[in-house]
């Protein structure tokens, strides 16, 4: 009996030892797998940190480069504004002198002019005024871009503005044989803006309409109020603008090429009027947009904040 018990105890002990060995072996294997998984995760984390640090360094470099580019652009803009302002002021003095001498010649201070001489004097006078207008536009553009443009924002009645531009543009309309009409059903409409600059924008739009509308066509101004805006639509029956060039007309010095009659090509301006007009509209809290189709005319819309 004692021998059987010993054998049984020995067998149980062996089984327990074997179970313990197997359990330990499994634990060791699990530990190895856990260690390997932890090492893999650690390696992945290290790689992620390295990528994050590389991205951070790249971001810092990009920020530095962007700041350099911003400062360079600002310096270039200031230099351009200073140059335009200086050139504008320098040109005004001799242009004013040319205008003065032309006026003296026209008045016959040194004797009467022949028909041929008078024609030349008129051409000189026309070109002097044209260049002087360009100088003024350059000066306005420089001031707007440098943030030095002074506005006098106030509540402005719409009707006097329309009457003023009508008086100024009517002779051009008649000379170009165009029908001109202003449609405004509400004489009490008011907007919040600089009245003189609004007149400048509308006159630019009307002058463009005159230039690009053949004789026998029409130009119409329509006032269209909304809850918070007053919109002025300047519609013409002119040559129109190609669809792909609608935004280009608002870029400085851009003039859209098209198959225009010779008299219209000869009347083209400097390409600054619309650029300045849009900038003026925006600094007054408004916008200037255009809708057009080649051969079917154009409609420019000036939107300004409505005054309560």
């Amino acid at each position: 009996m004692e021998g059987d018990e010993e054998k049984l105890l020995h067998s149980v002990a062996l089984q327990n030892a074997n179970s313990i060995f197997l359990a330990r072996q499994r634990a060791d294997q699990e530990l190895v797998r856990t260690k390997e998984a932890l090492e893999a995760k650690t390696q992945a984390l290290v790689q992620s940190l390295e990528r994050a640090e590389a991205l951070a360094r790249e971001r810092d470099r990009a920020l530095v480069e962007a700041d350099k580019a911003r400062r360079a652009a600002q310096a270039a803009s200031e230099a351009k504004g200073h140059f335009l302002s200086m050139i504008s002021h320098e040109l005004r003095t001799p242009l004013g002198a040319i205008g003065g001498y032309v006026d003296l010649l026209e008045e016959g201070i040194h004797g009467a002019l022949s028909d041929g001489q008078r024609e030349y004097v008129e051409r000189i006078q026309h070109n002097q005024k044209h260049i002087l207008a360009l100088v003024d536009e350059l000066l306005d553009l420089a001031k707007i871009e440098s943030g030095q443009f002074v506005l006098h924002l106030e509540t402005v009645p719409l009707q006097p503005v329309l009457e003023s531009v009508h008086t100024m543009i009517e002779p051009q309309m008649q000379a170009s044989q165009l029908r001109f009409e202003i449609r405004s059903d509400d004489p009490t409409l008011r907007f919040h803006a600089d009245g003189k600059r609004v007149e400048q924008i509308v006159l630019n739009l009307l002058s463009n309409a005159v230039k690009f509308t053949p004789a026998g066509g029409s130009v119409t101004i329509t006032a269209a109020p909304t809850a918070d805006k007053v919109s002025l639509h300047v519609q013409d029956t002119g040559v129109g603008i190609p669809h792909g060039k609608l935004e280009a007309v608002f870029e400085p010095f851009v003039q859209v090429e098209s198959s225009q009659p010779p008299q219209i090509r000869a009347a083209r301006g400097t390409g600054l009027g619309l650029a300045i007009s849009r900038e003026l509209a925006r600094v007054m809290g408004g916008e200037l947009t255009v809708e057009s189709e080649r051969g079917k005319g154009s409609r420019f819309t000036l939107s300004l904040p409505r005054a309560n």
Side-chain angles (χ1 to χ4, degrees), residues 90-110:
E90 290 296 323
L91 288 174
R92 286 187 66 86
T93 299
L95 284 171
I98 291 171
Y101 286 123
V102 168
D103 289 340
L104 292 176
L105 288 173
E106 199 171 36
E107 291 173 6
I109 297 297
H110 296 289

Side-chain angles (χ1 to χ4, degrees), residues 223-294:
T226 62
D228 60 344
K229 297 285 185 182
V230 173
S231 295
L232 291 178
H233 305 291
V234 177
Q235 176 84 49
D236 65 58
T237 59
V239 296
I241 304 168
H243 181 72
K245 301 291 186 179
L246 291 179
E247 283 302 307
V249 299
F250 294 108
E251 295 296 326
F253 303 107
V254 170
Q255 295 176 338
V256 177
E257 297 292 338
S258 62
S259 54
Q260 299 165 356
Q263 69 273 20
I264 290 180
R265 290 198 300 269
R268 293 169 65 191
T270 61
L272 280 175
L274 289 177
I276 292 174
S277 294
R278 172 173 273 189
E279 291 299 323
L280 285 174
R282 288 177 172 176
V283 296
M284 290 189 293
E287 185 57 277
L288 180 61
T289 58
V290 62
E291 302 167 70
S292 185
E293 187 175 347
R294 176 75 71 84

Side-chain angles (χ1 to χ4, degrees), residues 6-304:
E6 287 179 358
K7 288 180 181 179
L8 180 61
L9 290 173
H10 182 69
S11 176
V12 170
L14 285 176
Q15 290 177 359
N16 289 338
N18 189 47
S19 298
I20 292 171
F21 174 76
L22 291 174
R24 182 174 179 179
Q25 192 177 37
R26 286 194 297 270
D28 289 342
Q29 292 173 350
E30 185 64 28
L31 181 61
V32 170
R33 287 194 296 270
T34 303
K35 182 180 178 182
E36 290 175 349
L38 182 60
E39 288 177 349
K41 291 181 178 180
T42 302
Q43 184 64 25
L45 180 60
V46 169
Q47 292 175 351
S48 296
L49 289 173
E50 289 175 349
R51 287 195 297 268
E53 290 175 354
L55 289 173
R57 289 193 296 270
E58 186 64 27
R59 180 204 61 190
D60 292 340
R61 283 195 297 269
L63 288 174
V64 170
E65 292 300 321
D67 185 61
K68 288 181 180 178
R70 180 188 59 79
R71 284 186 278 126
Q74 183 177 0
S77 178
E78 291 175 355
K80 182 183 73 172
H82 177 71
F83 173 76
L84 289 176
S85 179
M86 179 186 68
I87 289 297
S88 299
H89 285 297
E90 290 296 323
L91 288 174
R92 286 187 66 86
T93 299
L95 284 171
I98 291 171
Y101 286 123
V102 168
D103 289 340
L104 292 176
L105 288 173
E106 199 171 36
E107 291 173 6
I109 297 297
H110 296 289
L113 299 177
S114 66
D115 291 341
Q117 290 172 331
R118 187 169 297 280
E119 180 183 352
Y120 287 151
V121 166
E122 289 176 355
R123 290 184 182 182
I124 294 171
Q125 191 175 49
H126 172 78
N127 285 286
Q128 182 264 348
K129 290 180 179 178
H130 176 74
I131 297 174
L132 193 59
L134 172 59
V135 168
D136 289 337
E137 289 178 339
L138 284 172
L139 195 56
D140 281 347
L141 187 62
K143 288 179 179 179
I144 291 172
E145 291 185 347
S146 64
Q148 298 176 353
F149 199 81
V150 178
L151 290 172
H152 302 284
L153 299 178
E154 57 185 351
T155 297
V156 181
L158 174 61
Q159 197 63 28
V161 172
L162 295 178
E163 293 173 358
S164 176
V165 296
H166 181 277
T167 300
M168 286 185 278
I169 202 69
E170 181 66 22
Q172 293 183 43
M173 294 288 179
Q174 292 178 354
S176 299
Q177 301 177 37
L178 299 176
R179 297 184 301 277
F180 181 43
E181 183 180 3
I182 294 179
R183 300 172 183 170
S184 177
D185 297 330
D186 187 353
T188 66
L189 282 178
R190 299 179 299 170
F191 50 83
H192 185 70
D194 185 320
K196 292 298 181 184
R197 296 304 174 181
V198 174
E199 286 187 8
Q200 179 181 346
I201 295 171
V202 177
L203 282 173
N204 271 334
L205 299 179
L206 292 173
S207 295
N208 273 351
V210 171
K211 291 176 187 175
F212 297 104
T213 303
S218 65
V219 179
T220 305
I221 300 179
T222 306
T226 62
D228 60 344
K229 297 285 185 182
V230 173
S231 295
L232 291 178
H233 305 291
V234 177
Q235 176 84 49
D236 65 58
T237 59
V239 296
I241 304 168
H243 181 72
K245 301 291 186 179
L246 291 179
E247 283 302 307
V249 299
F250 294 108
E251 295 296 326
F253 303 107
V254 170
Q255 295 176 338
V256 177
E257 297 292 338
S258 62
S259 54
Q260 299 165 356
Q263 69 273 20
I264 290 180
R265 290 198 300 269
R268 293 169 65 191
T270 61
L272 280 175
L274 289 177
I276 292 174
S277 294
R278 172 173 273 189
E279 291 299 323
L280 285 174
R282 288 177 172 176
V283 296
M284 290 189 293
E287 185 57 277
L288 180 61
T289 58
V290 62
E291 302 167 70
S292 185
E293 187 175 347
R294 176 75 71 84
K296 295 185 178 181
S298 304
R299 185 173 86 152
F300 286 85
T301 298
L302 171 64
S303 297
L304 295 168

